[in-house]
C-alpha cells in the first residue's frame, strides 16, 4: 500500500527532501515485482514532469538560445546553436514528449544557423550539437537532423587543419582556429560522433580525422610509458604535451571513455583500441584508483607522473568512470563482477549523502589514511571538504544506470531516486532548474544557469534508470552512449 503514498508524493512539488527520501526508499524495498513496477512508473512520471517543466521555462524565456537562466528568466548564449534544443531532442523522444520534440525539430529545420560567426569551443560543439543531432537521428531518422549534422561536422573539420591536433576553439563562420592550449578530452573526444557521421554519409573523412588525431596523441606521448594514461594539458598546434598531470576527471575523462566506446561502436573489430583499452585499465588501477580512510571506499584520484603526487580528490566528473569500467568488464571481457565500477558508483552516492541538501558536490577531498583533518563525522570521516558547488551534473546517475541495467540490483534505482528528489527539491527554482553555489549553505544561492546537459544527460539517465534495459530498443549490446548521453547504433562489421 505504500506505493500509493509514493505515487501521490510524486505528483506534487517535494518540500522536505529527508522525509521524501525515507518514504520513497521504504516503499520500494523488498516489494513484489508488480508493486515495484508501479513505483517505477510513478518515478518515471515524476522525471517526465520535471523535464516538461524545465523545457517549458526554456521555451518561454530562452527559446532558440543555448540555455535558460531560470532565476532571472533570461537566456545564456555561448554557442549560438540552440544547445538546449539540439542536445535535448533524443531525451524528449525517449520521454514521448511529442509536442516539445516537434517544436525542437521545427526550430532545427527553419531557424538553426550553423555558420553563425560565433567563436566556440570545438569539443563542446561536437559532443552537444553534433552528438545531439546524431543521437536524435539514430532514434527517429528525421532527415533534417542528419542534414544539420553534416553541416556541423563540416565546420568542425576545420579545427583539424590548424595543427597536429584539433584546435580547441574555432569560428563557426570562417572556420578559423583560435588559441592553441588544449587538454586531452578536448582534442580526443571526436571519434564516436565522427565515425558515426562517416557511417551514415559514406564520407570516410570524418572518421579519418578523428583517428589521425588520436594516433598523433599516442605518437607524441607513447601510452605504454604510464600504462595507457596520457598527460592532461597539450599544445594543439605542435601536438605536444605541456604538463605532468594525469586524471580520469575533467580535462581528460572522455578521451579514455572514447577509447573503450569506439571499440564497442565499431563492433569490437579494432585491435589497437582493444589493446589500448586494456592498457588504460591497468594504468588506472596502478596510478589512479585509490581507497579512502577509514571506510575503504574506492575512488579515482589525480596525480603527477612520473613523480607521484596525489591530489586526494574525487571529482564528480570522474563518476562517469564507473560506467566506463562496467562496459569494459561486461561487454569486452564478460566479467560480471565489475569491482571498480561498483566501487566508484558507491563512492559517488556517498558524495551526495555527504551534503546538507543531498546534492552532489563538484569534488570532495578524500582522507586516505594518516590525515589529521579526517575528523568529519558527517560521512564517517572519509570526506574532508572540497568544492561544494553543484552544476546539475549527470555522472553519478550515469554510473547508477549502467549498474542497474547490468545487475538488476534495485538499490541503484533507489539511490538515483534520492538524487532526483534532491534536484527536484533544491535545484528547482523559478522557471527551471539551476546550479547551486554551495550545497551545504542555507539559504540556497543559485548560479542561475540551467545547463543544456541537464536535458541531454541528467534527466535522460534519471529516466532510463527507472526503466528496464531494452527500453525503446536501447541496450548496451546494440547502442553506445556518447559522453553527452546520445545513443548511437553499433556499426556492425558484416
Amino acid at each position: 500500500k505504500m506505493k500509493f503514498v509514493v505515487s501521490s508524493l510524486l505528483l506534487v512539488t517535494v518540500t522536505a527532501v529527508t522525509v521524501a527520501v525515507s518514504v520513497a526508499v521504504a516503499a520500494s524495498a523488498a516489494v513484489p515485482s508488480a508493486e515495484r513496477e508501479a513505483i517505477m512508473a510513478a518515478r518515471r512520471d515524476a522525471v517526465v514532469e520535471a523535464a516538461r517543466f524545465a523545457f517549458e521555462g526554456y521555451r518561454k524565456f530562452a527559446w532558440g538560445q543555448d540555455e535558460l537562466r531560470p532565476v532571472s528568466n533570461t537566456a545564456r548564449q555561448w554557442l549560438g546553436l540552440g544547445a538546449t534544443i539540439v542536445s535535448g531532442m533524443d531525451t524528449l523522444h525517449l520521454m514521448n514528449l511529442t509536442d516539445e520534440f516537434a517544436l525542437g525539430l521545427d526550430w532545427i529545420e527553419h531557424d538553426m544557423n550553423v555558420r553563425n560567426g560565433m567563436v566556440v569551443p570545438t569539443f563542446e560543439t561536437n559532443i552537444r550539437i553534433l552528438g545531439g543531432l546524431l543521437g536524435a537521428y539514430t532514434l527517429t531518422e528525421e532527415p533534417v537532423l542528419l542534414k544539420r549534422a553534416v553541416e556541423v561536422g563540416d565546420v568542425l573539420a576545420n579545427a583539424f587543419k590548424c595543427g597536429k591536433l584539433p584546435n580547441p576553439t574555432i569560428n563557426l563562420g570562417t572556420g578559423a582556429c583560435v588559441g592553441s592550449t588544449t587538454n586531452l578530452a578536448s582534442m580526443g573526444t571526436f571519434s564516436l560522433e565522427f565515425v558515426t557521421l562517416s557511417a551514415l554519409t559514406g564520407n570516410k573523412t570524418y572518421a579519418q580525422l578523428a583517428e589521425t588525431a588520436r594516433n598523433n596523441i599516442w605518437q607524441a606521448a607513447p601510452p605504454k610509458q604510464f600504462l595507457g594514461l596520457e598527460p592532461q594539458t597539450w599544445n594543439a598546434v605542435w601536438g605536444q604535451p605541456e604538463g605532468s598531470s594525469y586524471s580520469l576527471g575533467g580535462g581528460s575523462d572522455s578521451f579514455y571513455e572514447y577509447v573503450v566506446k569506439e571499440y564497442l561502436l565499431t563492433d569490437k573489430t579494432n585491435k589497437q583500441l582493444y589493446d589500448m583499452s586494456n592498457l588504460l585499465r591497468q594504468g588506472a588501477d596502478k596510478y589512479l584508483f585509490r581507497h579512502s580512510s577509514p571506510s575503504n571506499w574506492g575512488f579515482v584520484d589525480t596525480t603527477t607522473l612520473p613523480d607521484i603526487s596525489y591530489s586526494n580528490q574525487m571529482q564528480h566528473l570522474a563518476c562517469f568512470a564507473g560506467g566506463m569500467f562496467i562496459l569494459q568488464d561486461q561487454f569486452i571481457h564478460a566479467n560480471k563482477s565489475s569491482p571498480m565500477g561498483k566501487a566508484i558508483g558507491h563512492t559517488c552516492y556517498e558524495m551526495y549523502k555527504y551534503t546538507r541538501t543531498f546534492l552532489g558536490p563538484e569534488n570532495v577531498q578524500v582522507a586516505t589514511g594518516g590525515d589529521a583533518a579526517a575528523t568529519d563525522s558527517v560521512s564517517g570521516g572519509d570526506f574532508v571538504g572540497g568544492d561544494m558547488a553543484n552544476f546539475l551534473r549527470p555522472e553519478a546517475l550515469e554510473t547508477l544506470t549502467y549498474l542497474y541495467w547490468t545487475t538488476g540490483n534495485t538499490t541503484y534505482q533507489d539511490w538515483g531516486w534520492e538524487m532526483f528528489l534532491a534536484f527536484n527539491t533544491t535545484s528547482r527554482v523559478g522557471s527551471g532548474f539551476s546550479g547551486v553555489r554551495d550545497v551545504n549553505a542555507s539559504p540556497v544561492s543559485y548560479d542561475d544557469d540551467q545547463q543544456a546537459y541537464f536535458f541531454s544527460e541528467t534527466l535522460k539517465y534519471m529516466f532510463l534508470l527507472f526503466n528496464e534495459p531494452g527500453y525503446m530498443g536501447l541496450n548496451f549490446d546494440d547502442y553506445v552512449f556518447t559522453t553527452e548521453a546520445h545513443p548511437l547504433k553499433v556499426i556492425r562489421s558484416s
Side-chain angles (χ1 to χ4, degrees):
K1 293 183 180 179
M2 189 71 79
K3 67 179 182 181
F4 297 109
V5 176
V6 177
S7 297
S8 61
L9 176 67
L10 294 171
L11 300 177
V12 298
T13 300
V14 182
T15 57
V17 68
T18 53
V19 175
V21 167
S22 62
V23 170
V25 172
S28 63
V31 298
S33 58
E35 293 186 35
R36 178 84 193 178
E37 173 50 32
I39 294 170
M40 292 306 107
R43 291 179 179 181
R44 292 192 294 270
D45 288 346
V47 176
V48 171
E49 186 278 330
R52 184 181 286 114
F53 168 75
F55 189 87
E56 177 58 21
Y58 169 79
R59 185 199 63 78
K60 186 174 181 180
F61 297 109
W63 185 248
Q65 307 299 301
D66 289 316
E67 292 169 348
L68 166 70
R69 296 193 181 277
V71 178
S72 59
N73 292 330
T74 57
R76 179 186 179 216
Q77 185 81 318
W78 60 287
L79 296 176
L81 296 170
T84 292
I85 298 172
V86 176
S87 64
M89 289 291 284
D90 48 14
T91 300
L92 296 174
H93 176 75
L94 290 170
M95 292 184 180
N96 199 32
L97 292 174
T98 54
D99 291 343
E100 290 84 351
F101 182 88
L103 284 172
L105 192 65
D106 182 78
W107 184 87
I108 290 169
E109 182 170 11
H110 297 106
D111 299 308
M112 185 178 184
N113 178 17
V114 174
R115 293 189 176 273
N116 61 35
M118 290 191 67
V119 176
V120 301
T122 313
F123 164 74
E124 300 288 358
T125 307
N126 177 62
I127 65 172
R128 297 171 188 251
I129 306 304
L130 180 56
L133 292 165
L134 292 173
Y137 179 79
T138 296
L139 297 180
T140 68
E141 296 188 351
E142 289 285 351
V144 69
L145 297 172
L146 182 57
K147 176 184 176 182
R148 290 283 185 253
V150 171
E151 293 176 14
V152 175
D154 288 345
V155 172
L156 290 176
N158 290 300
F160 293 76
K161 301 175 182 178
C162 304
K164 288 190 174 182
L165 298 169
N167 213 72
T169 314
I170 60 168
N171 185 304
L172 289 176
T174 65
C177 296
V178 180
S180 62
T181 299
T182 186
N183 60 56
L184 186 62
S186 292
M187 64 187 182
T189 308
F190 291 91
S191 60
L192 297 188
E193 294 83 3
F194 275 41
V195 167
T196 296
L197 190 57
S198 284
L200 291 173
T201 63
N203 183 347
K204 297 180 180 180
T205 301
Y206 307 111
Q208 290 168 347
L209 287 172
E211 181 180 6
T212 298
R214 184 181 61 241
N215 288 340
N216 285 344
I217 293 171
W218 284 336
Q219 183 178 4
K224 290 186 178 181
Q225 182 178 10
F226 297 119
L227 298 177
L229 300 183
E230 295 286 346
Q232 181 169 306
T233 306
W234 290 70
N235 182 290
V237 175
W238 300 110
Q240 293 295 318
E242 294 186 332
S244 59
S245 180
Y246 293 74
S247 170
L248 293 184
S252 297
D253 43 11
S254 49
F255 171 79
Y256 302 114
E257 178 184 5
Y258 275 34
V259 171
V260 175
K261 289 184 174 180
E262 188 189 347
Y263 177 68
L264 295 171
L265 182 74
T266 54
D267 204 19
K268 306 178 185 179
T269 57
N270 188 320
K271 186 178 184 304
Q272 183 188 37
L273 290 172
Y274 176 82
D275 291 341
M276 291 303 170
S277 171
N278 289 339
L279 198 61
L280 153 67
R281 180 57 170 270
Q282 296 173 42
D285 191 33
K286 179 175 181 178
Y287 294 114
L288 301 178
F289 189 69
R290 306 182 69 208
H291 290 86
S292 69
S293 176
S295 301
N296 206 39
W297 297 333
F299 73 103
V300 282
D301 208 341
T302 298
T303 188
T304 57
L305 291 173
D307 298 321
I308 294 177
S309 177
Y310 286 112
S311 68
N312 295 331
Q313 183 184 93
M314 176 68 186
Q315 299 179 28
H316 193 288
L317 285 165
C319 288
F320 94 95
M324 178 182 71
F325 290 134
I326 290 163
L327 275 182
Q328 190 177 34
D329 283 340
Q330 300 203 25
F331 294 90
I332 298 178
H333 300 300
N335 176 5
K336 299 298 182 183
S337 61
S338 300
M340 285 177 67
K342 290 177 180 177
I344 292 168
H346 173 257
T347 300
C348 292
Y349 170 67
E350 293 290 343
M351 289 170 65
Y352 281 70
K353 286 177 62 179
Y354 177 64
T355 72
R356 183 187 70 82
T357 57
F358 210 92
L359 290 172
E362 182 70 354
N363 63 59
V364 289
Q365 291 300 124
V366 184
T368 57
D371 189 338
T375 57
D376 183 2
S377 62
V378 175
S379 193
D382 293 78
F383 300 149
V384 287
D387 182 345
M388 292 294 115
N390 177 279
F391 299 112
L392 306 174
R393 292 203 188 278
E395 292 80 16
L397 284 155
E398 174 182 357
T399 285
L400 293 184
T401 302
Y402 280 93
L403 282 167
Y404 176 68
W405 275 31
T406 56
T407 69
N409 185 340
T410 58
T411 296
Y412 300 122
Q413 290 181 311
D414 295 337
W415 289 357
W417 177 240
E418 295 178 68
M419 294 175 186
F420 169 77
L421 288 173
F423 280 116
N424 210 37
T425 301
T426 301
S427 305
R428 186 166 176 158
V429 62
S431 56
F433 288 77
S434 171
V436 171
R437 293 192 174 95
D438 185 338
V439 294
N440 288 323
S442 181
V444 175
S445 176
Y446 295 100
D447 68 11
D448 198 17
D449 191 7
Q450 181 173 278
Q451 299 278 352
Y453 59 68
F454 184 65
F455 280 93
S456 64
E457 298 184 80
T458 311
L459 288 169
K460 182 185 286 135
Y461 282 125
M462 285 180 187
F463 183 72
L464 292 178
L465 178 58
F466 304 132
N467 276 285
E468 294 303 306
Y471 174 75
M472 278 198 174
L474 293 178
N475 59 72
F476 298 139
D477 288 305
D478 298 314
Y479 291 86
V480 172
F481 287 82
T482 71
T483 195
E484 203 76 0
H486 300 301
L488 303 177
K489 198 162 181 62
V490 170
I491 303 163
R492 295 301 177 193
S493 55
S494 58

